[in-house]
Amino acid sequence: MKEARNWYIKGMQNGIPIGLGYFAVSFTLGIASRKAGLDPLQAAVMSAAMLASAGQFAGISMLASGAGAVELILTTVVVNMRYLLMSSALSQKVRRDKPFWHRFFIAYGVTDEIFGVSMAVPGKLHPAFSYGAVTTAAPGWVLGTFLGAMVGMVLPVRVMSALSVALYGMFLAVVIPPSRTSRLIAGVVVVSMALSGIWNLIPGLRDISSGFQMMILTVVLAGGAAILFPVTETESGDGEDAPREAGETEEERGGIRFE
């Protein structure tokens, strides 16, 4: 219980800045929801049920245009396809001595930012870390959506533009630290940015939906990096049987030091 509590607290600490960023960004989502005809409560329930900014914006746009239920569902699934890859990677990160059902609950909170901080934890991941991160991150997204739908319409346009930049700041905060310590990660980041830019300049390719675009680029880049620079569990220190240093506690072996 003590170990799970420590992991949970660490997850909450990592989720606080994400929640603050979500609160700012989801204001614009709330405004878009209100314009599409949703009331604040409906907008908040939508955000609580699906923590996915791109998918929600796409769904709201289709609601505003009068699209049918089938078209709405298919579009949302395609836009959110990147979470399939994230969930697959994260499922291998969770400690194998924990029940399988934890992966189903963790899947609820798989967002770009929570996935980033979870994968950045050295070693295997205790499910309590993900629960803690969601506990402090998700309320920011839901509350921001609710307030955006309620009072966001009265905010100046410049203020809303400034709030929307917070999402890019969160991505930078997730990507920059590991890029500074790993040339491989830095290289993959640079190549992914270059390929993404080139993709959007090529006729035909740029017409592919953002969901499929991200899926294809992720598979190509991740697969290429795995083939060219393979890393075994023993080398990465992620395996349960990885040797423990003298005096090292179980929490430290799990990748997080608790003071």
Side-chain angles (χ1 to χ4, degrees), residues 74-87 209-215:
L74 290 176
T75 300
T76 304
V77 169
V78 170
V79 173
N80 289 334
M81 268 188 158
R82 67 186 186 279
Y83 296 122
L84 175 63
L85 296 177
M86 294 182 191
S87 297
S209 67
S210 60
F212 276 117
Q213 181 183 141
M214 188 169 294
M215 282 278 291

Side-chain angles (χ1 to χ4, degrees), residues 198-258:
I198 294 173
W199 183 292
N200 288 286
L201 295 176
I202 301 176
L205 291 181
R206 63 188 178 193
D207 297 326
I208 298 177
S209 67
S210 60
F212 276 117
Q213 181 183 141
M214 188 169 294
M215 282 278 291
I216 294 172
L217 289 177
T218 300
V219 170
V220 171
L221 289 168
I227 294 174
L228 296 175
F229 308 97
V231 178
T232 64
E233 285 193 344
T234 303
E235 291 173 342
S236 64
D238 286 353
E240 277 85 15
D241 297 328
R244 183 184 302 180
E245 299 294 335
E248 184 181 26
T249 66
E250 186 65 29
E251 290 86 354
E252 291 171 342
R253 184 171 182 255
I256 297 180
R257 294 178 179 270
F258 299 102

Side-chain angles (χ1 to χ4, degrees), residues 25 160-170:
V25 175
M160 298 311 306
S161 298
L163 290 175
S164 64
V165 176
L167 185 61
Y168 300 101
M170 285 192 295

Side-chain angles (χ1 to χ4, degrees), residues 50-256:
M50 181 174 64
L51 305 175
S53 58
Q56 287 181 251
F57 275 113
I60 290 171
S61 298
M62 300 196 72
L63 282 175
S65 64
V70 175
E71 185 180 359
L72 175 63
I73 293 172
L74 290 176
T75 300
T76 304
V77 169
V78 170
V79 173
N80 289 334
M81 268 188 158
R82 67 186 186 279
Y83 296 122
L84 175 63
L85 296 177
M86 294 182 191
S87 297
S88 298
L90 195 57
S91 67
Q92 303 303 308
K93 178 78 172 177
V94 178
R95 281 169 41 172
R96 296 172 186 168
D97 61 333
K98 299 303 175 184
F100 179 80
W101 53 263
H102 279 295
R103 289 165 172 78
F104 292 101
F105 291 102
I106 291 174
Y108 165 75
V110 177
T111 66
D112 301 310
E113 295 75 26
I114 293 178
F115 170 79
V117 298
S118 298
M119 294 301 292
V121 174
K124 290 294 183 181
L125 189 71
H126 194 291
F129 178 89
S130 296
Y131 297 150
V134 173
T135 299
T136 50
W141 184 254
V142 176
L143 182 59
T145 305
F146 178 81
L147 294 178
M150 179 174 288
V151 301
M153 299 296 289
V154 301
L155 294 178
V157 176
R158 291 185 178 181
V159 173
M160 298 311 306
S161 298
L163 290 175
S164 64
V165 176
L167 185 61
Y168 300 101
M170 285 192 295
F171 279 123
L172 292 176
V174 171
V175 171
I176 289 178
S179 298
R180 296 177 62 183
T181 58
S182 172
R183 293 183 179 179
L184 175 57
I185 295 177
V188 171
V189 170
V190 172
V191 172
S192 65
M193 293 173 63
L195 288 181
S196 181
I198 294 173
W199 183 292
N200 288 286
L201 295 176
I202 301 176
L205 291 181
R206 63 188 178 193
D207 297 326
I208 298 177
S209 67
S210 60
F212 276 117
Q213 181 183 141
M214 188 169 294
M215 282 278 291
I216 294 172
L217 289 177
T218 300
V219 170
V220 171
L221 289 168
I227 294 174
L228 296 175
F229 308 97
V231 178
T232 64
E233 285 193 344
T234 303
E235 291 173 342
S236 64
D238 286 353
E240 277 85 15
D241 297 328
R244 183 184 302 180
E245 299 294 335
E248 184 181 26
T249 66
E250 186 65 29
E251 290 86 354
E252 291 171 342
R253 184 171 182 255
I256 297 180

